[in-house]
Amino acid sequence: MTSVAERDGKAGQSIRPVPLGKRRDLGWIGIPLVALAGLAAFWLLPDDLALLTRIAASALFVLSLDLVLGYGGIATLGQAAMFGTGAYAAGIVAVNWNNDPFVMLAVGGLAGGLVALATGALILHARGLTLLMLTIAVGQIVQEVANKARDWTGGSDGLSGIDPAPVLGLFRFDMFGRTSYLFALAVLVVGLVVARRIVRSPFGLACRGVKEDPLRISAIGGSPKSYLVALYGVAGVFAGVAGALTAVTSGIVGLDSAGFPWSAEALVMLVLGGTGRLYGAVIGTAAFMGIHHILAASDPFHWMAFIGLFLIGIVLFLPGGIASGVERLGGLLRGPAGKGGDRA
């Protein structure tokens, strides 16, 4: 007769998730693929460089959300607070002091990271719906501050007049958007490389451990809240850089950059692409914004219905997001030798 302990052990084995190191994934191949796809789009879609630039900057923002949700398990609808802070900080610095694109990115990342650390230390003691509501509140506060600080931000009219200097003093931001897109693509690829190094570092593995079993992390002497606050701050840096990148490439910052709808759209794009994979953020952003652009142009009155049907189809048939389908296809192409691939 099987003992209760043995039955419980077997039941636990049946529901235990597959270890991250055993899941099939594109690994480092995903980053070169993003770069090659981006360069191919530059040559194949020269008339849509403005859209492609927005996709690249938005993908970096969705990537920051993947860090906190996919690797830290932090449910948030206020990620736009750091994005908007970074965009406004970069724009204000460019208009008043220094318009070098790299300085703008650094200032935006620093501003986003500081806001994330300050707010994360206050709100990350909460969980579930309470935490979700607190993140929304943070976003609303940042948006209202930007609205009231009209002398610096332009208020509801937005911050305009941002004219970034040539990249490295050589490449001007032309009216055709070539420099803007290549600059945005380069920043996105660098962001993917840095994010992958972070999630595979001891710190990143500890954050994954907090997501899976915070009690075990506490038992071995770690502080789950400290790890989550640090991860939230790192993700804030990525979101701030994404906001600054938008300011560099568009030349204007509006209140919508810190609004709740932008946070909600980012979450939809992340779920669409697949959480906890990094490059899933890129896939989801490209798919959502590309389909949105095509459908809105072809049917401006009913495009949202088609977007909804598309999202329902992805959730039903690819619950892990589009990236999960890419992983399955990659596993089939690699065959048995690819079973030992790693995630992220």
Side-chain angles (χ1 to χ4, degrees):
M1 180 179 294
T2 305
S3 66
V4 174
E6 289 174 345
R7 289 199 304 269
D8 291 344
K10 291 179 180 179
Q13 290 176 3
S14 64
I15 63 174
R16 186 177 297 124
V18 179
L20 293 174
K22 298 297 183 181
R23 298 180 184 179
R24 293 181 176 181
D25 183 40
L26 296 182
W28 276 110
I29 301 176
I31 297 175
L33 284 178
V34 170
L36 291 175
L39 292 175
F42 177 78
W43 295 106
L44 296 175
L45 302 170
D47 297 329
D48 296 312
L49 293 181
L51 171 64
L52 295 174
T53 302
R54 292 198 302 272
I55 290 175
S58 300
L60 185 61
F61 173 53
V62 179
L63 176 66
S64 73
L65 180 59
D66 194 20
L67 288 175
V68 295
L69 180 59
Y71 292 91
I74 304 172
T76 173
L77 282 172
Q79 195 71 4
M82 282 67 79
F83 179 92
T85 299
Y88 274 113
I92 291 171
V93 167
V95 170
N96 294 282
W97 295 291
N98 192 324
N99 64 344
D100 183 86
F102 294 103
V103 172
M104 293 173 66
L105 293 182
V107 170
L110 178 62
L114 290 176
V115 169
L117 285 175
T119 58
L122 295 175
I123 69 176
L124 287 180
H125 67 278
R127 291 290 182 270
L129 291 177
T130 303
L131 174 60
L132 205 62
M133 295 303 295
L134 288 174
T135 60
I136 295 174
V138 169
Q140 295 298 312
I141 290 172
V142 170
Q143 189 177 39
E144 187 60 23
V145 169
N147 186 35
K148 294 299 183 182
R150 177 176 294 272
D151 293 339
W152 289 95
T153 65
S156 58
D157 296 327
L159 176 63
S160 58
I162 303 172
D163 184 20
V167 179
L168 300 175
L170 301 173
F171 308 102
R172 289 190 171 275
F173 288 88
D174 57 280
M175 62 180 297
F176 302 104
R178 291 186 290 251
T179 301
S180 294
Y181 174 64
L182 292 176
F183 183 68
L185 178 62
V187 174
L188 173 60
V189 172
V190 172
L192 283 169
V193 173
V194 173
R196 191 173 193 275
R197 293 295 299 270
I198 290 173
V199 300
R200 292 177 60 83
S201 68
F203 166 73
L205 295 176
C207 291
R208 292 185 185 186
V210 172
K211 177 186 176 183
E212 297 294 336
D213 193 346
L215 293 179
R216 181 173 295 182
I217 297 297
S218 299
I220 62 177
S223 173
K225 182 181 177 181
S226 297
Y227 283 123
L228 293 182
V229 170
L231 181 64
Y232 198 66
V234 170
V237 172
F238 278 81
V241 171
L245 180 60
T246 301
V248 170
T249 56
S250 67
I252 188 170
V253 182
L255 288 177
D256 57 340
S257 63
F260 169 76
W262 185 217
S263 294
E265 279 191 23
L267 183 59
V268 170
M269 288 186 276
L270 178 60
V271 173
L272 179 62
T275 60
R277 290 172 171 85
L278 297 183
Y279 67 89
V282 181
I283 295 175
T285 304
F288 181 86
M289 297 186 70
I291 293 174
H292 172 216
H293 176 74
I294 295 172
L295 292 180
S298 60
D299 190 349
F301 299 104
H302 304 98
W303 64 268
M304 291 187 67
F306 292 106
I307 288 287
L309 291 174
F310 176 69
L311 293 176
I312 292 173
I314 291 295
V315 171
L316 290 177
F317 298 104
L318 288 174
I322 300 175
S324 65
V326 176
E327 291 174 4
R328 293 176 191 175
L329 179 61
L332 292 175
L333 295 176
R334 289 197 301 266
K339 291 184 178 181
D342 62 281
R343 192 176 188 186

